[in-house]
Amino acid sequence: ERRRGLSLILTTRGDVALLVLDRPRRGNALRPEDMLRLAELLDEAAAGGARALVISGAGDAVFCSGYDLDHIDSAAVPADHEGPAAWSDRFPELVEAIAAAERFPGPLVAALNGHAIGGGALLATLCDLRIARPGLRFQIPATRIGVLYPLEGMRRLSATIGLGRATELLLLGDSVDTERGLAWGLYNEIVPAPVLQERALAVATELANRAPLALRGIRDLLRGLVDGRPEAELQTLHDAWTRRCVGSADLVEGIEAARTRRPPRFEGR
């Protein structure tokens, strides 16, 4: 099934969905309405039963160049700095896109077909796994523009590559090439451009075949670790997910499949 909305295209193939940012002439930059539609499509994919989702960009040059700067209204930031003070009040559409990525029930895989800049870097780090083609740049030019990078982006970047390297990227605004990004743990895998999408979909298919409750529990706990939630709260969360998994039909199915040496058929219950 294929659905188009503004500059995004959502295609579903069984348990796997593919979401493509489709503004290649504009570097797949996202306007406010695109971000809201991105959130809607993520929710639609989840409601339609997708267990894993791949995000990629159209073309072979840029994955996503971030927030379309033509749609940042300088008049919304008065010279006397009055008006909405909170970052979330100034960019509610970006907040909603981040929230939708976080509430998607299955793993997200970024297929980085090109450069990931600014908000595109944020979108990549919101994904659980990142598969990239050779020769791309990853850059967060916030200090070169004069804007503060989203807190969730800082949190995810620091958790992915470490605080020291995240500090370097954020303060200098310089780009990281593919080889250094792989060494830093920014990318999980580098594959040739012609097979990038195919490989990302194959990984997503593998993930979709894993036990959904175990996947959700692991992702929930990892997010709690990244967010710095208290140890007692994390232990409570771990206990709750343990009860769900131990009491699930999926565990029975997984054990039986292992015993009979056949692929498991998980249902997420």
Side-chain angles (χ1 to χ4, degrees), residues 67-131:
Y67 202 113
D68 190 329
L69 297 182
D70 288 346
H71 291 263
I72 295 181
D73 185 1
S74 59
V77 187
D80 58 5
H81 302 291
E82 293 180 356
W87 190 91
S88 58
D89 292 332
R90 294 193 185 277
F91 304 102
E93 62 284 343
L94 187 49
V95 172
E96 178 56 25
I98 292 172
E102 292 188 331
R103 66 176 172 258
F104 187 79
L108 299 174
V109 180
L112 298 170
N113 58 294
H115 308 314
I117 312 296
L122 169 61
L123 184 58
T125 54
L126 285 172
C127 294
D128 300 281
L129 300 175
R130 287 161 296 281
I131 302 174

XYZ file of all heavy atoms in Angstrom, residues 67-131:
474
model
N 15.249 21.453 8.890
C 14.145 22.413 8.853
C 14.355 23.362 7.672
O 15.425 23.946 7.512
C 14.120 23.191 10.164
C 12.794 23.824 10.513
C 12.059 23.384 11.598
C 12.278 24.881 9.763
C 10.851 23.971 11.947
C 11.070 25.466 10.082
C 10.360 25.010 11.170
O 9.155 25.585 11.492
N 13.347 23.507 6.854
C 13.428 24.415 5.707
C 13.521 25.851 6.233
O 12.556 26.392 6.775
C 12.184 24.246 4.826
C 12.320 24.966 3.494
O 13.011 26.009 3.446
O 11.738 24.503 2.499
N 14.693 26.458 6.075
C 14.935 27.782 6.647
C 14.039 28.854 6.056
O 13.820 29.896 6.681
C 16.409 28.165 6.454
C 17.426 27.256 7.158
C 18.838 27.784 6.921
C 17.133 27.158 8.643
N 13.507 28.621 4.865
C 12.591 29.592 4.276
C 11.291 29.695 5.055
O 10.524 30.646 4.867
C 12.266 29.207 2.826
C 13.447 29.427 1.900
O 14.404 30.116 2.315
O 13.416 28.908 0.769
N 11.042 28.715 5.918
C 9.780 28.694 6.665
C 9.976 29.030 8.136
O 9.086 28.825 8.945
C 9.110 27.328 6.517
C 8.599 27.083 5.141
N 7.286 27.299 4.778
C 9.227 26.674 4.008
C 7.132 27.019 3.493
N 8.290 26.641 3.004
N 11.157 29.535 8.485
C 11.353 30.079 9.823
C 11.095 31.572 9.732
O 11.848 32.317 9.098
C 12.772 29.815 10.356
C 12.989 28.311 10.545
C 12.977 30.537 11.686
C 14.356 27.968 11.096
N 10.031 32.014 10.343
C 9.616 33.412 10.258
C 10.398 34.231 11.276
O 10.192 34.123 12.481
C 8.109 33.520 10.534
C 7.586 34.936 10.345
O 8.399 35.815 9.980
O 6.383 35.149 10.575
N 11.307 35.064 10.778
C 12.111 35.872 11.698
C 11.243 36.831 12.501
O 11.620 37.251 13.598
C 13.169 36.654 10.921
O 12.551 37.504 9.955
N 10.070 37.154 11.958
C 9.173 38.050 12.689
C 8.630 37.392 13.941
O 8.140 38.062 14.848
C 8.018 38.481 11.790
N 8.716 36.060 13.996
C 8.214 35.350 15.178
C 9.180 35.469 16.344
O 8.890 35.050 17.456
C 7.988 33.872 14.843
N 10.372 36.020 16.106
C 11.358 36.198 17.167
C 11.640 37.701 17.288
O 12.543 38.227 16.646
C 12.664 35.432 16.851
C 13.604 35.487 18.047
C 12.360 33.988 16.481
N 10.848 38.420 18.072
C 10.982 39.875 18.159
C 12.353 40.298 18.680
O 13.025 39.550 19.397
C 9.872 40.268 19.152
C 8.939 39.093 19.189
C 9.789 37.901 18.938
N 12.741 41.486 18.306
C 14.045 41.997 18.728
C 14.150 42.095 20.243
O 15.232 41.962 20.811
C 14.297 43.367 18.086
N 13.025 42.373 20.920
C 13.071 42.498 22.376
C 12.885 41.150 23.069
O 12.777 41.072 24.284
C 12.013 43.487 22.867
C 10.595 43.074 22.454
O 10.434 41.969 21.873
O 9.661 43.844 22.717
N 12.821 40.048 22.256
C 12.754 38.684 22.778
C 11.471 38.402 23.558
O 11.424 37.492 24.374
C 13.964 38.364 23.662
C 15.264 38.532 22.929
N 15.665 37.705 21.908
C 16.241 39.471 23.065
C 16.847 38.106 21.445
N 17.206 39.181 22.114
N 10.445 39.192 23.315
C 9.162 38.900 23.940
C 8.459 37.808 23.139
O 8.871 37.448 22.035
C 8.306 40.162 23.998
C 8.867 41.224 24.939
C 7.995 42.461 24.966
O 7.013 42.497 24.181
O 8.288 43.381 25.730
N 7.373 37.311 23.672
C 6.632 36.258 22.987
C 6.989 34.893 23.561
O 7.576 34.802 24.642
N 6.634 33.818 22.865
C 6.871 32.465 23.386
C 8.346 32.244 23.699
O 9.211 32.465 22.866
C 6.412 31.560 22.236
C 5.487 32.409 21.425
C 6.001 33.802 21.549
N 8.619 31.856 24.940
C 9.996 31.642 25.353
C 10.425 30.203 25.164
O 11.584 29.923 24.886
C 10.171 32.052 26.812
N 9.491 29.269 25.337
C 9.840 27.859 25.280
C 10.118 27.432 23.842
O 9.427 27.855 22.915
C 8.717 27.018 25.879
N 11.131 26.588 23.692
C 11.482 26.055 22.378
C 10.280 25.342 21.773
O 10.003 25.462 20.581
C 12.663 25.103 22.550
C 13.303 24.652 21.282
C 14.345 25.237 20.634
C 12.939 23.517 20.500
N 14.660 24.537 19.492
C 13.816 23.483 19.392
C 11.969 22.531 20.623
C 13.744 22.490 18.420
C 11.887 21.545 19.662
C 12.765 21.527 18.574
N 9.547 24.604 22.610
C 8.386 23.852 22.127
C 7.272 24.759 21.630
O 6.481 24.364 20.765
C 7.847 22.934 23.235
O 7.498 23.685 24.380
N 7.209 25.994 22.148
C 6.190 26.939 21.686
C 6.556 27.524 20.325
O 5.683 27.873 19.531
C 6.020 28.073 22.697
C 5.409 27.594 24.002
O 4.650 26.599 23.969
O 5.696 28.199 25.049
N 7.828 27.614 20.051
C 8.264 28.187 18.782
C 8.233 27.160 17.653
O 7.991 27.501 16.506
C 9.687 28.748 18.916
C 9.808 29.934 19.858
C 11.149 30.617 19.677
N 11.334 31.674 20.656
C 10.848 32.907 20.538
N 10.121 33.205 19.483
N 11.077 33.811 21.461
N 8.484 25.894 17.983
C 8.538 24.845 16.964
C 7.659 23.652 17.349
O 8.163 22.530 17.500
C 9.989 24.381 16.754
C 10.939 25.480 16.389
C 11.792 26.020 17.332
C 10.974 25.972 15.092
C 12.671 27.035 16.996
C 11.846 26.992 14.742
C 12.702 27.532 15.694
N 6.354 23.866 17.505
C 5.472 22.768 17.953
C 5.422 21.607 16.960
O 5.253 20.451 17.358
C 4.105 23.445 18.095
C 4.167 24.644 17.190
C 5.592 25.110 17.266
N 5.574 21.910 15.656
C 5.516 20.841 14.662
C 6.717 19.899 14.784
O 6.598 18.683 14.594
C 5.460 21.421 13.239
C 6.649 22.253 12.822
C 6.689 23.651 13.412
O 5.641 24.121 13.909
O 7.770 24.276 13.370
N 7.876 20.445 15.154
C 9.057 19.604 15.348
C 8.919 18.767 16.616
O 9.316 17.595 16.653
C 10.312 20.476 15.413
C 11.665 19.774 15.438
C 11.765 18.724 14.345
C 12.789 20.789 15.306
N 8.335 19.358 17.631
C 8.067 18.615 18.870
C 7.152 17.436 18.586
O 7.371 16.316 19.086
C 7.435 19.544 19.930
C 6.974 18.752 21.152
C 8.428 20.624 20.353
N 6.134 17.651 17.769
C 5.192 16.578 17.444
C 5.863 15.486 16.623
O 5.615 14.280 16.831
C 3.995 17.145 16.686
C 2.964 16.114 16.255
C 2.404 15.278 17.397
O 2.413 15.759 18.552
O 1.972 14.136 17.145
N 6.736 15.858 15.699
C 7.446 14.853 14.899
C 8.350 13.993 15.781
O 8.418 12.773 15.625
C 8.266 15.544 13.808
N 9.049 14.635 16.729
C 9.899 13.884 17.659
C 9.060 12.934 18.497
O 9.406 11.760 18.687
C 10.684 14.853 18.567
C 11.713 15.639 17.746
C 11.361 14.103 19.703
C 12.395 16.761 18.514
N 7.922 13.424 18.995
C 7.049 12.595 19.830
C 6.514 11.396 19.059
O 6.423 10.282 19.587
C 5.896 13.434 20.374
N 6.172 11.607 17.790
C 5.654 10.502 16.971
C 6.716 9.439 16.747
O 6.423 8.237 16.766
C 5.141 11.039 15.634
N 7.960 9.858 16.527
C 9.045 8.896 16.360
C 9.247 8.098 17.640
O 9.479 6.885 17.608
C 10.330 9.614 15.966
N 9.124 8.766 18.775
C 9.341 8.086 20.044
C 8.204 7.134 20.404
O 8.429 6.134 21.088
C 9.536 9.114 21.157
C 10.839 9.891 21.023
C 11.118 10.764 22.217
O 10.151 11.213 22.863
O 12.309 11.011 22.509
N 6.984 7.446 19.965
C 5.872 6.562 20.327
C 5.619 5.458 19.300
O 4.774 4.596 19.526
C 4.590 7.366 20.552
C 4.016 8.059 19.330
C 2.688 8.750 19.642
N 2.242 9.568 18.538
C 2.349 10.890 18.483
N 2.906 11.558 19.487
N 1.904 11.573 17.431
N 6.341 5.482 18.183
C 6.180 4.388 17.227
C 6.540 3.087 17.929
O 7.604 2.982 18.550
C 7.072 4.603 16.000
C 6.826 3.596 14.915
C 5.747 3.729 14.061
C 7.653 2.492 14.771
C 5.496 2.789 13.060
C 7.419 1.551 13.775
C 6.335 1.698 12.923
N 5.699 2.070 17.857
C 5.881 0.883 18.700
C 7.019 -0.049 18.301
O 7.463 -0.871 19.100
C 4.538 0.165 18.581
C 3.991 0.600 17.259
C 4.442 2.019 17.098
N 7.497 0.057 17.065
C 8.561 -0.827 16.599
C 9.832 -0.070 16.297
O 9.881 1.165 16.358
N 10.885 -0.788 15.943
C 12.156 -0.142 15.631
C 12.083 0.719 14.374
O 11.379 0.401 13.419
C 13.108 -1.330 15.411
C 12.467 -2.480 16.108
C 10.992 -2.263 15.964
N 12.844 1.808 14.394
C 12.995 2.699 13.249
C 14.400 2.546 12.693
O 15.382 2.550 13.448
C 12.761 4.158 13.663
C 11.392 4.514 14.234
C 11.397 5.959 14.736
C 10.296 4.307 13.208
N 14.503 2.415 11.380
C 15.790 2.261 10.711
C 15.969 3.421 9.743
O 15.127 3.644 8.867
C 15.872 0.925 9.942
C 17.224 0.798 9.243
C 15.632 -0.254 10.876
N 17.054 4.168 9.900
C 17.359 5.250 8.964
C 18.217 4.703 7.834
O 19.270 4.111 8.076
C 18.084 6.379 9.673
N 17.750 4.866 6.595
C 18.540 4.520 5.411
C 19.093 5.828 4.859
O 18.399 6.549 4.128
C 17.677 3.805 4.377
N 20.317 6.134 5.216
C 20.891 7.437 4.904
C 21.454 7.420 3.484
O 22.599 7.036 3.246
C 21.975 7.784 5.927
C 21.453 7.887 7.375
C 22.605 7.977 8.347
C 20.531 9.076 7.520
N 20.615 7.883 2.564
C 20.975 7.912 1.142
C 21.856 9.100 0.784
O 22.345 9.196 -0.346
C 19.703 7.986 0.292
C 18.879 9.210 0.639
O 18.363 9.309 1.759
N 18.749 10.157 -0.279
N 22.049 10.013 1.717
C 22.853 11.199 1.470
C 23.109 11.937 2.771
O 22.952 11.386 3.869
N 23.487 13.204 2.652
C 23.880 13.992 3.808
C 22.724 14.154 4.794
O 21.553 14.286 4.403
C 24.361 15.371 3.366
C 25.411 15.330 2.292
N 26.501 14.484 2.350
C 25.523 16.025 1.126
C 27.256 14.664 1.280
N 26.681 15.583 0.517
N 23.069 14.158 6.080
C 22.102 14.407 7.156
C 22.542 15.684 7.864
O 23.570 15.697 8.548
C 22.060 13.229 8.119
N 21.772 16.747 7.677
C 22.166 18.072 8.157
C 21.112 18.613 9.120
O 19.914 18.566 8.830
C 22.330 19.071 6.982
C 23.168 18.464 5.852
C 22.934 20.381 7.475
C 24.587 18.166 6.221
N 21.552 19.166 10.248
C 20.642 19.817 11.174
C 19.526 18.911 11.637
O 19.750 17.890 12.292
N 18.291 19.290 11.277
C 17.150 18.466 11.644
C 17.189 17.089 11.014
O 16.581 16.138 11.526
N 17.912 16.952 9.897
C 18.089 15.639 9.295
C 18.960 14.749 10.167
O 18.744 13.536 10.264
N 19.960 15.362 10.821
C 20.782 14.626 11.779
C 19.942 14.206 12.973
O 20.080 13.091 13.495
C 21.954 15.491 12.228
N 19.051 15.091 13.408
C 18.141 14.743 14.502
C 17.260 13.569 14.114
O 17.103 12.610 14.890
C 17.279 15.958 14.854
C 16.095 15.712 15.799
C 16.572 15.186 17.142
C 15.268 16.980 15.973
N 16.685 13.614 12.924
C 15.816 12.529 12.469
C 16.582 11.207 12.434
O 16.060 10.156 12.814
C 15.254 12.859 11.090
C 14.254 11.868 10.490
C 13.047 11.680 11.399
C 13.811 12.340 9.109
N 17.841 11.256 12.005
C 18.650 10.037 11.949
C 18.900 9.470 13.339
O 18.816 8.255 13.554
C 19.977 10.323 11.251
N 19.196 10.334 14.302
C 19.492 9.834 15.648
C 18.233 9.437 16.413
O 18.325 8.735 17.422
C 20.288 10.875 16.472
O 19.591 12.125 16.493
C 21.672 11.074 15.886
N 17.061 9.864 15.945
C 15.818 9.383 16.544
C 15.561 7.923 16.171
O 14.785 7.241 16.834
C 14.636 10.247 16.093
C 14.502 11.623 16.728
C 13.395 12.417 16.035
C 14.233 11.529 18.216
N 16.209 7.459 15.105
C 16.046 6.068 14.676
C 16.918 5.148 15.519
O 17.957 5.553 16.044
C 16.406 5.929 13.199
S 15.270 6.805 12.082
N 16.472 3.908 15.643
C 17.202 2.935 16.462
C 18.484 2.476 15.783
O 19.496 2.240 16.437
C 16.307 1.724 16.740
C 15.039 2.114 17.483
O 15.115 2.303 18.708
O 13.985 2.253 16.837
N 18.448 2.340 14.459
C 19.606 1.910 13.686
C 19.791 2.845 12.504
O 18.813 3.393 11.974
C 19.421 0.475 13.183
C 19.234 -0.622 14.236
C 18.954 -1.960 13.562
C 20.451 -0.726 15.138
N 21.048 3.006 12.080
C 21.353 3.882 10.954
C 22.264 3.142 9.981
O 23.366 2.713 10.360
C 22.032 5.175 11.448
C 21.091 6.136 12.143
C 21.818 7.143 13.000
N 22.521 6.489 14.102
C 21.926 6.070 15.210
N 20.636 6.239 15.375
N 22.631 5.468 16.159
N 21.801 3.006 8.750
C 22.578 2.375 7.692
C 22.850 3.454 6.650
O 21.926 4.127 6.185
C 21.821 1.189 7.074
C 21.483 0.164 8.166
C 22.629 0.541 5.957
C 20.610 -0.978 7.688
